[in-house]
Amino acid sequence: MRRRLLTAVAAGVPLAAAVYLPTASADTGSSASQPRTCSTVTVQAPAGTEVESVVSVDRPAGTVDVPEITPLPAAHITDVPAYCDVTVTLTHPGEGDHAKVKVWLPQNGWNGRLQTIGGSAFAAGDYGTGLADAVKKGYAAATTDAGVKSYLDTSWALDAKGRVNTPLLKNFASRSEHEAAVVAKQVIGDYYGRTASYAYFNGCSTGGRQGYAEAQRYPDDYDGILANAPAISWDEFEVATLWPQVVMNNEKTYPTGCEFDAFNAAAVKACDSLDGVKDGLVENPARCDFDPRQLIGTTLECEGKQVTITAADAAVVRKIWDGPRTTSGKKLWSGVPIGADLKFPFLAGTLPDANGDLKGAAFPVPAFWVASWLKKQPSFDVSTITYSQFTELFRQSQAEYDEVIGTDDPDLSAFRKSGGKLLTWHGQQDQLIPTQGTVSYREQVERKMGGTKRVDDFYRLFLAPGTAHCGLNGQTDDLGALRAWVEHGKAPRTLTATLTNSSGEQVIRDLCAYPKVSRYMGHGDPAVAGSFRCVPPSRY
């Protein structure tokens, strides 16, 4: 790792022996860089674990076939170079867990770096798509399954006696992610005969939360952490995102998908020009004060039927946008951002029952969290939750799970001291994780650690207008920006991204480092990034 190598230099180790600075596709061709065979890889158990098995297989160049895993389809990653596939199974003695760590090592062309891939929903790691992509780009890649199941399989939540499976929850929360970093670095050193010069973590959603857990709990694991749309404050936001269903069920009002789309379209149109130009993008939905009651009486053509928006429909949308409150009106969490897709399969999803009447269809992740971890009844019907019960569940989740999986400790002083860099973007129309939760965390870090400028030295946040959950993946060179920051000290002032406006058109925009916001300069093509500038929010 860079900081350890610099320590070696300070101790008098010759520069050539201490520092390896790779290029994007470095392979020196020297004997030191030639990989060993897979069969020679050995692994020592990280502290507190035992190694149950090590399986190493040489994989030829070609296509990596990733199976269909609900809810994601199969994927086929072509042109993957030959690599050594190492699977290490760890257990914590006496806890009955079996967590797999996978490390893929390019046989040639290694760029000298580690990239660890995070998970999604209730899956702790990657099933091959991210690993293959990283190997194609020259990285040694790693991931862990934490001993749990796939995206929407929570059968591991409770043990045979119906109690929360605490060891597996600890694994999923942070423990296995740290152990994966330890194992991956060791395997890399053993296989290549030298350590990785830089280590990066790359995740979105659950993966974003894992990145923040690494920064907070294991600050020496990574030089750079890319943690996007992060599921931080897990114990709070998972309950909070069940709020749209609670509202509809208690109000006994279930707007159609067409109606939800109409409310969003009207809000985006009303608030589009707040950044100085009408371009189909709302720079900051939190400033949008569109009142859904303006659409009462509007008639829509919806799946061949005429639908008229009612006062009850508007009231439901107002509550969803406003976010969870107690029965006395106290705010619990931020709501779904204005403009974010509400309809099925997302947070305010509805489906027809046997009689053709619309009923709520809860998004599985918060529904499973409430049923299994809070009620301890996997078959619990979340549609029965009242407003007062919702508040009780929210408080229960905070009390029982904040310490293990909250992942919102604002004290990042150890990560800053280690020299690490944390880069995050979050879509302003995230339909699954309210953007303001990430904003609130960043503000807490600023209050804890000396203000915006000091925090910007190691942690930068970018908010992306018009962008859904994890919607910038592949639309910006975020990892490249992080590498430039870590390896060359070039902190990103903006993050260039391809956005999609409300008309479905793609536009290029330079996202501003929070708290600055983008403002149209008054001239130029709104589809061109140079027509905007980043300004302090007071000038917005």
Side-chain angles (χ1 to χ4, degrees):
M1 307 307 297
R2 178 191 51 162
R3 46 188 172 269
R4 296 192 183 95
L5 296 174
L6 293 177
T7 300
V9 173
V13 178
L15 183 63
V19 179
Y20 170 70
L21 295 176
T23 62
S25 58
D27 189 334
T28 64
S30 67
S31 59
S33 70
Q34 296 305 307
R36 304 167 71 185
T37 63
C38 260
S39 61
T40 64
V41 173
T42 60
V43 178
Q44 293 181 346
T49 74
E50 291 180 357
V51 175
E52 293 189 314
S53 66
V54 179
V55 178
S56 303
V57 181
D58 282 307
R59 304 290 186 188
T63 298
V64 171
D65 294 313
V66 181
E68 177 183 357
I69 302 175
T70 305
L72 299 184
H76 307 283
I77 316 303
T78 60
D79 301 321
V80 179
Y83 62 95
C84 174
D85 178 354
V86 180
T87 302
V88 180
T89 303
L90 303 175
T91 187
H92 297 87
E95 297 188 3
D97 61 335
H98 310 281
K100 289 181 171 60
V101 178
K102 293 190 75 69
V103 187
W104 289 9
L105 306 145
Q107 291 183 4
N108 296 288
W110 178 46
N111 66 15
R113 302 173 176 91
L114 163 66
Q115 182 184 160
T116 299
I117 310 297
S120 178
F122 287 108
D126 180 67
Y127 289 96
T129 303
L131 292 170
D133 182 67
V135 168
K136 286 178 67 171
K137 295 175 181 175
Y139 291 88
T143 198
T144 179
D145 70 2
V148 299
K149 303 292 184 179
S150 62
Y151 304 111
L152 299 180
D153 184 347
T154 57
S155 58
W156 57 271
L158 306 178
D159 62 21
K161 296 183 179 180
R163 301 171 302 193
V164 170
N165 192 322
T166 302
L168 288 184
L169 183 59
K170 287 181 179 178
N171 284 359
F172 178 67
S174 63
R175 183 167 63 173
S176 287
E177 205 58 65
H178 166 63
E179 290 160 359
V182 173
V183 167
K185 292 175 185 179
Q186 183 190 327
V187 168
I188 286 170
D190 193 62
Y191 184 72
Y192 292 110
R194 64 171 185 264
T195 60
S197 296
Y198 298 97
Y200 294 95
F201 183 88
N202 186 354
C204 191
S205 193
T206 285
R209 184 195 61 75
Q210 292 168 323
Y212 276 75
E214 281 291 306
Q216 293 165 21
R217 300 188 178 194
Y218 306 103
D220 293 320
D221 279 355
Y222 294 99
D223 299 293
I225 294 174
L226 182 62
N228 302 321
I232 53 175
S233 304
W234 177 282
D235 55 302
E236 295 164 314
F237 102 83
E238 280 300 358
V239 182
T241 48
L242 198 58
W243 176 251
Q245 294 292 320
V246 173
V247 170
M248 291 191 298
N249 289 326
N250 279 270
E251 302 300 326
K252 302 191 184 316
T253 298
Y254 304 91
T256 63
C258 297
E259 290 172 291
F260 281 130
D261 286 345
F263 282 114
N264 272 330
V268 169
K269 182 178 180 180
C271 298
D272 187 356
S273 60
L274 290 177
D275 60 354
V277 63
K278 281 188 172 292
D279 58 354
L281 294 169
V282 178
E283 173 70 22
N284 185 2
R287 293 185 66 241
C288 182
D289 59 358
F290 173 76
D291 188 340
R293 289 176 295 188
Q294 294 182 35
L295 293 192
I296 294 174
T298 302
T299 300
L300 308 172
E301 181 77 22
C302 186
E303 298 180 359
K305 298 180 181 179
Q306 294 291 315
V307 176
T308 301
I309 292 176
T310 67
D313 294 326
V316 163
V317 173
R318 287 188 73 192
K319 284 180 176 288
I320 291 173
W321 282 346
D322 179 57
R325 291 184 182 271
T326 67
T327 53
S328 63
K330 183 178 180 181
K331 188 85 167 179
L332 292 172
W333 201 250
S334 54
V336 181
I338 287 176
D341 195 354
L342 290 168
K343 64 182 182 296
F344 185 83
F346 303 120
L347 300 183
T350 58
L351 287 174
D353 62 14
N355 298 319
D357 298 322
L358 286 181
K359 297 295 181 184
F363 190 69
V365 177
F368 290 166
W369 177 256
V370 169
S372 292
W373 278 271
L374 299 182
K375 301 298 292 186
K376 282 79 171 177
Q377 302 171 36
S379 61
F380 175 75
D381 183 357
V382 296
S383 71
T384 64
I385 298 172
T386 65
Y387 285 130
S388 60
Q389 289 170 338
F390 176 87
T391 299
E392 293 171 1
L393 290 166
F394 188 89
R395 299 301 190 199
Q396 177 193 350
S397 190
Q398 288 177 310
E400 293 184 10
Y401 297 107
D402 180 65
E403 288 189 8
V404 64
I405 200 171
T407 325
D408 52 7
D409 182 355
D411 186 357
L412 297 177
S413 55
F415 183 69
R416 177 173 61 187
K417 185 177 180 180
S418 77
K421 308 299 182 188
L422 173 59
L423 179 63
T424 292
W425 53 254
H426 201 146
Q428 288 278 35
Q429 290 184 0
D430 194 315
Q431 73 277 37
L432 298 178
I433 300 179
T435 315
Q436 286 303 115
T438 301
V439 171
S440 176
Y441 174 78
R442 162 71 196 212
E443 292 173 347
Q444 291 176 51
V445 174
E446 291 183 5
R447 289 193 293 270
K448 179 74 175 180
M449 303 191 63
T452 299
K453 290 185 178 180
R454 294 197 66 191
V455 172
D456 276 348
D457 287 343
F458 69 94
Y459 170 27
R460 298 205 172 190
L461 169 65
F462 298 84
L463 302 179
T467 301
H469 186 60
C470 293
L472 277 190
N473 286 335
Q475 303 299 312
T476 182
D477 187 15
D478 46 8
L479 185 57
L482 179 61
R483 273 179 42 174
W485 193 9
V486 168
E487 299 176 22
H488 305 292
K490 297 180 179 179
R493 299 175 60 185
T494 59
L495 196 63
T496 301
T498 301
L499 307 179
T500 302
N501 65 20
S502 59
S503 299
E505 302 165 334
Q506 289 193 330
V507 298
I508 305 300
R509 184 69 61 83
D510 288 335
L511 310 181
C512 303
Y514 185 86
K516 289 188 176 180
V517 294
S518 181
R519 181 76 180 179
Y520 183 61
M521 296 176 64
H523 55 83
D525 185 351
V528 177
S531 300
F532 296 79
R533 67 179 184 273
C534 295
V535 300
S538 59
R539 294 171 55 192
Y540 184 78

